[in-house]
Amino acid sequence: MVNQSRARSVTVITALFAVLLVAIVAGVGLGAVSVGPTEVFAAIGRALSGESGPVSDAVIIDLRLPRVLLAALVGACLASAGVLYQAIFRNPLADPYILGVSSGAGLGAIIAIVSTTTATGLRYGLVPAGAFAGALATILVVVRLASRRGRLETTSLLLAGVAISYILAALTSFIMVLFRQSMASVVFWMMGGLTSASWRYVGMIAPMFVIGVVVPLLYTRQLNIMLLGDERASQLGIEVERFKRITLAFASLLVAAAVSVSGLIGFIGLMTPHIVRLILGPDHRLLLPASTLAGASIMVFADLLARTALAPIEVPVGIVTALLGGPFFIWLLVRREGVR
């Protein structure tokens, strides 16, 4: 039985890796000028070996590949954060965007952006730091508001998230009014997009992603136990409140990584874990890595759709994910509340 479960896990992870590879090749190859998979791999091979190549190599290596990899990292970060939030709150409706965490990260990032006049090395350090501080502060406030005698209620959690999101949106708008010269770029950034993708951004959030995912992967057993409830988890030897704080910190780090380079992109953290959970079950030993890979693939395909659907006009990818995730959230809420 154990061998069958292990073989199933290996099969699922391998299949998701294959889907992600297909998504990356499609994302790099398709665009205003399409290139085939053979050309994509050849260009990457030449870049790795230091060989010179045709002009199309510059398009692949300098423009499309960093954007696609950044999209994959952003999707993986948001999906992984969604898994962690849903595990801690034992609520499939928990999502960085709905809980207001993305808005908090966005406010922190915007403060860092308007505080630095140019995209200097200082900005590359301040933006993720500001996003992390905003994300962590927001989730702590939301949890505090939604707690009733030590228990979190689903309705209170969602309402607190929405209320805090509105307050943060107002603060963001106020900052935009104060710094009118940055308004256009900030507005487009808030819609969620990857137009500024570069290898520097990939290098900036990759370590945050690795830390935010690898450490929770070491504690998937504890995440499974948390699903039994705080009292039972405490009986099984988990320091519940401490574990919650640590997990929320890592989830907030993942949200900050995504928001600092892509702006506000909603519903990836809601849709992906729930879809994967319906297919694979609630075991976090498989759910967390599977959701990470699935989130990366979904984000790459969403960005590809945003780039090509109305070409040469590019739609902010946050609009695409909202159009996909909004109806999904309504369906999930109706299904959870038992409305027919």
Side-chain angles (χ1 to χ4, degrees):
M1 190 71 176
V2 174
N3 290 335
Q4 289 180 349
S5 177
R6 186 173 299 172
R8 178 170 175 265
S9 299
V10 171
T11 301
V12 169
I13 297 300
T14 302
L16 287 171
F17 262 118
V19 172
L20 179 57
L21 180 61
V22 170
I24 290 173
V25 173
V28 174
L30 298 178
V33 178
S34 297
V35 295
T38 303
E39 296 176 72
V40 172
F41 286 114
I44 294 174
R46 284 191 291 269
L48 292 174
S49 63
E51 297 179 24
S52 59
V55 178
S56 59
D57 281 13
V59 175
I60 294 172
I61 301 300
D62 297 330
L63 296 178
R64 292 188 184 174
L65 186 57
R67 175 162 181 161
V68 169
L69 292 180
L70 193 66
L73 284 171
V74 168
C77 285
L78 293 175
S80 302
V83 171
L84 297 179
Y85 285 132
Q86 290 172 17
I88 291 300
F89 297 134
R90 297 190 297 278
N91 185 347
L93 300 178
D95 161 79
Y97 195 79
I98 295 170
L99 294 176
V101 182
S102 292
S103 298
L107 177 61
I110 287 172
I111 292 174
I113 289 172
V114 299
S115 299
T116 53
T117 56
T118 59
T120 60
L122 179 62
R123 171 179 287 189
Y124 284 103
L126 284 178
V127 171
F132 176 64
L136 188 58
T138 300
I139 192 60
L140 292 177
V141 170
V142 169
V143 170
R144 179 66 177 171
L145 291 175
S147 297
R148 296 291 183 274
R149 297 178 181 177
R151 299 183 61 183
L152 281 172
E153 300 178 1
T154 298
T155 303
S156 298
L157 188 67
L158 298 178
L159 289 176
V162 171
I164 293 298
S165 292
Y166 276 118
I167 295 173
L168 294 173
L171 291 174
T172 301
S173 299
F174 178 70
I175 292 174
M176 289 166 58
V177 170
L178 290 180
F179 296 89
R180 290 184 178 86
Q181 66 276 14
S182 304
M183 184 177 295
S185 59
V186 170
V187 169
F188 196 81
W189 179 83
M190 287 179 62
M191 293 180 185
L194 297 163
T195 55
S196 300
S198 66
W199 284 111
R200 189 166 188 175
Y201 278 141
V202 173
M204 183 178 76
I205 76 164
M208 300 171 70
F209 164 72
V210 171
I211 295 171
V213 170
V214 170
V215 176
L217 278 173
L218 301 176
Y219 295 95
T220 50
R221 174 182 170 274
Q222 287 85 341
L223 289 172
N224 286 340
I225 293 175
M226 289 297 295
L227 298 179
L228 302 176
D230 292 356
E231 184 177 349
R232 182 60 176 156
S234 179
Q235 292 172 350
L236 292 173
I238 295 179
E239 296 181 38
V240 174
E241 294 305 319
R242 180 173 179 271
F243 183 74
K244 282 183 177 180
R245 288 194 295 269
I246 293 173
T247 305
L248 290 177
F250 282 109
S252 299
L253 178 66
L254 290 167
V255 176
V259 171
S260 62
V261 297
S262 66
L264 305 186
I265 296 177
F267 298 108
I268 294 292
L270 172 70
M271 292 188 297
T272 309
H274 194 74
I275 292 171
V276 174
R277 190 182 293 107
L278 289 175
I279 298 172
L280 302 179
D283 188 348
H284 287 87
R285 290 173 296 181
L286 183 56
L287 177 62
L288 181 54
S291 296
T292 301
L293 292 171
S297 299
I298 291 173
M299 191 64 191
V300 172
F301 282 125
D303 184 56
L304 177 61
L305 181 62
R307 286 192 288 118
T308 59
L310 299 177
I313 299 173
E314 180 175 326
V315 179
V317 70
I319 294 177
V320 175
T321 60
L323 289 174
L324 295 173
F328 181 85
F329 176 71
I330 293 173
W331 170 80
L332 185 59
L333 184 60
V334 170
R335 181 173 178 268
R336 181 176 175 82
E337 297 300 329
V339 180
R340 296 291 185 269

